[in-house]
Amino acid sequence: MHRRHGMESKLGVGGGTVGREAQKNLERAEDLCRRRKPEKALPFLLKAMEDGNNLDAFVQAAFLFPLPEALKALENAEAKGRGGLQQRFGMDCFDDGSKEVGMFYSILETRPYMRVLQSQVRLYFEDGQFGKSADTMIEMLRLCPGDNMAQRTWLGSMLISAGRPSEALSFVKTWLAHNRQETPPRGGTVFQTPSSDCLSTEHEEYLSRHGDGSMLHSAALACFQLWGNCPVARQYLRIAACANPVILTKILARLDRPRNLNNNPRGFNSPEEAQDYLWVSQSLWMDPTVWAWANDDVDAKTALLKRCSNGNCDAVELNVAQFKRCSACKEVVYCTQECQKSHWKAHKPACQQQKQIKDMVRAYQKGKPIPEGAHMASADFSDGMSFVNWA
């Protein structure tokens, strides 16, 4: 949750560890950066950084620098944040067995530090330091096993990029385990030697409907790197194609890697989630051997073929990505413009509702007024407290 909408919006950044004036300067700078006016943001950032606890100001400043300087700035911010937390909670607060480890993010004072780590994950990746990016995510999951920062969909791909496919497969299989009831120890980073056994039919059916498409694609790729074109690799690829078909569709269509992460509202296994996965992982799938393997899998490709969304039409794609999606909602596909036009009256209410929901969430995320007549609620939890924000 963005700090402007959760508990930090009322109690202050880091639970009040950052002064209100420094917080206001940070927010002014962030708004100017969002409007692509970094030169006007810099004076506010410099003022915000006068408060040494204002780690988010150091994060924002880092993204204005070239990569080497940006990483150095974040590493300095990480050291500053670690020292501040040790001063506040004790020198052992980062040690396994302490009352803080496992509760980071839930403890408000730790959130700015976790945001520094999250920024390091991204910039290490952009700099090609895949091992450091993966190890930073592993540390985040040790500190916050419940993954409040939503790093687990990236970690499998990052471990593969770092040449650690066995760890990648162990990690995603832990999170995708059948009938898992609890958060995995250390966020799933207690790596085990993975098995090449196939999943049960029941487990496959469950993951096809409810599994995380990003993690399933990482599982398929890790299996292929470990054991080649084996039954379990093909099984995971088939499941992944069902869970989030957008990912494999774009891979097989050889579309360019997304230039940026998608900051728009998203649903589970949505096109927005597919874009973020491909931003991190597409180069792995474009390896000629990997791409040929995926392209030759008949079952996976069949799962990608869509039926025309016009209920009066029985057309089914002959090739992947043959039909065009509705440009407004991106939820339905049509074989021809004629089918789209004739179905518009039936599709229009759902299309407009989907667009309104996304516009509302987008405005909320940016701190702007939501459309008149619309309502939203968000909840945040920390140290036994709960905060509900109505808009």
Side-chain angles (χ1 to χ4, degrees):
M1 174 180 291
H2 196 286
R3 65 173 190 276
R4 294 197 191 187
H5 303 304
M7 206 166 287
E8 289 177 283
S9 67
K10 296 299 181 185
L11 301 180
V13 175
T17 57
V18 175
R20 288 291 182 181
E21 188 61 28
Q23 182 175 338
K24 288 179 182 178
N25 283 318
L26 169 63
E27 290 175 356
R28 291 190 190 104
E30 289 175 333
D31 291 338
L32 287 166
C33 287
R34 193 177 295 114
R35 290 155 54 192
R36 300 183 181 180
K37 296 180 179 179
E39 68 288 344
K40 292 186 178 181
L42 192 56
F44 293 106
L45 273 179
L46 293 174
K47 289 181 181 179
M49 291 164 67
E50 291 175 2
D51 185 331
N53 292 322
N54 199 353
L55 299 182
D56 291 285
F58 291 88
V59 169
Q60 185 65 61
F63 281 95
L64 301 181
F65 300 151
L67 262 180
E69 290 80 5
L71 284 169
K72 185 177 293 186
L74 287 179
E75 287 164 358
N76 290 337
E78 189 276 332
K80 184 185 292 288
R82 177 178 287 263
L85 290 174
Q86 287 174 328
Q87 185 175 7
R88 187 176 189 87
F89 295 110
M91 294 302 294
D92 66 343
C93 67
F94 284 87
D95 297 344
D96 287 336
S98 71
K99 62 183 180 181
E100 289 81 21
V101 168
M103 299 299 294
F104 273 57
Y105 191 85
S106 178
I107 301 170
L108 282 180
E109 292 87 345
T110 66
R111 291 188 182 186
Y113 178 80
M114 294 295 284
R115 290 192 284 265
V116 172
L117 295 187
Q118 187 177 47
S119 299
Q120 285 184 310
V121 166
R122 175 171 176 173
L123 291 188
Y124 280 137
F125 166 72
E126 291 189 18
D127 197 44
Q129 299 187 54
F130 306 127
K132 278 193 172 183
S133 183
D135 289 339
T136 303
M137 280 187 270
I138 291 169
E139 174 66 359
M140 291 179 71
L141 288 164
R142 181 183 76 90
L143 297 173
C144 176
D147 191 28
N148 291 77
M149 306 294 285
Q151 295 298 291
R152 63 181 179 270
T153 55
W154 283 29
L155 181 53
S157 293
M158 208 66 67
L159 287 166
I160 294 171
S161 296
R164 296 151 65 179
S166 179
E167 292 180 7
L169 184 57
S170 171
F171 174 74
V172 295
K173 287 185 74 172
T174 298
W175 277 98
L176 296 172
H178 198 31
N179 295 325
R180 179 177 60 81
Q181 300 294 325
E182 299 179 350
T183 299
R186 298 174 73 99
T189 61
V190 182
F191 302 124
Q192 307 289 333
T193 302
S195 166
S196 61
D197 294 341
C198 286
L199 306 178
S200 68
T201 300
E202 180 186 10
H203 196 184
E204 175 173 348
E205 291 175 352
Y206 176 83
L207 290 177
S208 296
R209 296 192 304 272
H210 306 294
D212 184 288
S214 299
M215 299 184 83
L216 286 163
H217 279 85
S218 294
L221 184 55
C223 286
F224 180 72
Q225 289 201 355
L226 288 168
W227 304 302
N229 183 24
C230 60
V232 69
R234 294 194 298 272
Q235 183 183 37
Y236 271 119
L237 186 64
R238 180 172 64 247
I239 299 170
C242 293
N244 192 338
V246 178
I247 294 174
L248 192 58
T249 296
K250 293 193 172 187
I251 289 169
L252 297 184
R254 295 182 184 271
L255 299 181
D256 292 338
R257 172 181 174 262
R259 288 180 290 180
N260 296 297
L261 292 169
N262 192 312
N263 294 318
N264 290 329
R266 75 267 318 281
F268 183 60
N269 284 334
S270 61
E272 291 81 12
E273 287 196 345
Q275 178 174 328
D276 286 356
Y277 175 81
L278 291 169
W279 185 79
V280 174
S281 314
Q282 186 161 336
S283 60
L284 296 169
W285 288 89
M286 289 297 103
D287 175 274
T289 303
V290 175
W291 188 91
W293 165 67
N295 190 53
D296 290 342
D297 193 296
V298 176
D299 289 340
K301 289 181 73 173
T302 299
L304 300 178
L305 300 179
K306 299 180 179 66
R307 181 179 296 276
C308 179
S309 297
N310 189 327
N312 296 319
C313 178
D314 295 326
V316 178
E317 289 180 320
L318 298 177
N319 301 302
V320 173
Q322 177 184 349
F323 295 170
K324 303 299 182 184
R325 287 189 297 172
C326 171
S327 60
C329 69
K330 297 180 171 56
E331 298 289 329
V332 297
V333 298
Y334 297 100
C335 59
T336 63
Q337 287 187 346
E338 289 73 21
C339 262
Q340 183 176 15
K341 288 178 180 178
S342 66
H343 191 242
W344 173 240
K345 185 176 181 181
H347 174 56
K348 182 178 178 179
C351 182
Q352 292 184 334
Q353 182 183 45
Q354 183 70 13
K355 185 176 183 302
Q356 287 171 353
I357 291 173
K358 289 190 175 183
D359 289 345
M360 178 177 64
V361 176
R362 188 180 296 113
Y364 182 74
Q365 289 176 334
K366 294 182 177 180
K368 296 180 179 180
I370 64 174
E372 187 176 351
H375 299 281
M376 279 194 67
S378 60
D380 192 7
F381 304 91
S382 172
D383 292 338
M385 298 183 293
S386 61
F387 171 77
V388 179
N389 185 24
W390 292 91

